[in-house]
Amino acid sequence: MRLTIPEEEVLSSGHLACPGCGATLAMRLALKALGRDTIVVIPACCWSTIDGVFPNSALGVPVMHIAFEAAAIAASGIKAGLIAKGNTHTQVMAWAGDGGTFDIGIQALSGAAERNDDIIYVCYDNEAYQNTGIQRSSATPYGAWTTTTPRKHPKQEPKKNIADIMSAHRIPYIATATVAYPEDFVRKFKKAREIKGTRFIHVLSPCPPGWKMKEQDTVKVSRIAVKSCVFPLFEIEDGKLKINIKPSKRQDVRDYLKLQGRFSHLKEEDIKRIQQELDKNWQNLLKREEAHEG
């Protein structure tokens, strides 16, 4: 198998991430794929801190820190300015957490997608407002502990389906990715780099402190998320869905849940409910792919 991950390291040491931070591993791969001719827009999120204290930055590319709700529109504005100067080659990537994407920033993201602005928008999804104290977001899965959904009152609502929301905007490219499959990750970012219009990439980003998991298990948890179909890897290109990895034998969701203390309070009926929902979602995904193939 020929490796496709570029050797050059754009992200440098000296960042301020927690050990095992999935979002930092993801940024490293994203910048390897996109290269140094990239401008990154970061709203309020973990990466506002991870990047380093001004005037220092670990990213190795120009960075604009922006308000919580404004990642997409700031990226659109930068791209418009570049085009006005005759620069059509520099990539502009918004890099936001689930709070700044699923919730606070969804209005700006929807506007950019409706206009089909020429930006790459990445949601690194750690399934809560981790930077401000592990509060629940609409990306937090059913049954999960957060500081605002404690053990006796865990989250009762399902996770918002952001891929379907973005698909409804008819943008040219949508993908899911995880650091457990780096070749797939880099390929998708390279593909996004060559497409014009709004490109949306949803990255699962395990958070050891927020998920109450071992810091060395980030890749393991990400891989089981794919194999159990908690987080399927797929692409939607020009409206057609393609599943990138189909587990030959799906892993039990218990293997995913037991590695994370945020699910340690779940009862058997809760786990069965989660498994049933995953089964339904996976079958729907397979049917959608089959329909597009036909």
Side-chain angles (χ1 to χ4, degrees), residues 137-239:
S137 79
S138 60
T140 304
Y142 166 80
W145 166 92
T146 68
T147 54
T148 52
T149 54
R151 290 173 62 90
K152 292 185 179 180
H153 303 281
K155 187 168 183 268
Q156 295 300 302
E157 300 79 20
K159 179 171 182 165
K160 186 184 287 184
N161 191 330
I162 194 70
D164 277 2
I165 292 171
M166 297 311 298
S167 181
H169 288 77
R170 303 181 182 89
I171 59 176
Y173 189 67
I174 299 164
T176 60
T178 172
V179 297
Y181 296 87
E183 297 287 338
D184 176 80
F185 189 112
V186 168
R187 181 186 62 79
K188 286 171 176 173
F189 273 78
K190 284 183 174 181
K191 178 183 281 190
R193 185 181 61 188
E194 302 305 319
I195 295 172
K196 297 296 183 182
T198 304
R199 293 137 286 168
F200 180 83
I201 302 179
H202 182 196
V203 179
L204 184 69
S205 300
C207 172
W211 292 18
K212 295 187 175 183
M213 53 175 271
K214 294 179 181 178
E215 58 200 40
Q216 65 266 33
D217 282 347
T218 297
V219 172
K220 181 179 180 180
V221 167
S222 299
R223 185 175 294 113
I224 296 175
V226 175
K227 290 186 174 181
S228 62
C229 298
V230 168
F231 192 80
L233 295 181
F234 61 84
E235 298 169 279
I236 304 174
E237 192 168 2
D238 294 326

Side-chain angles (χ1 to χ4, degrees), residues 125-138:
D125 181 8
N126 51 33
E127 299 190 326
Y129 290 87
Q130 306 291 3
N131 190 46
T132 56
I134 319 175
Q135 297 92 358
R136 164 216 196 277
S137 79
S138 60

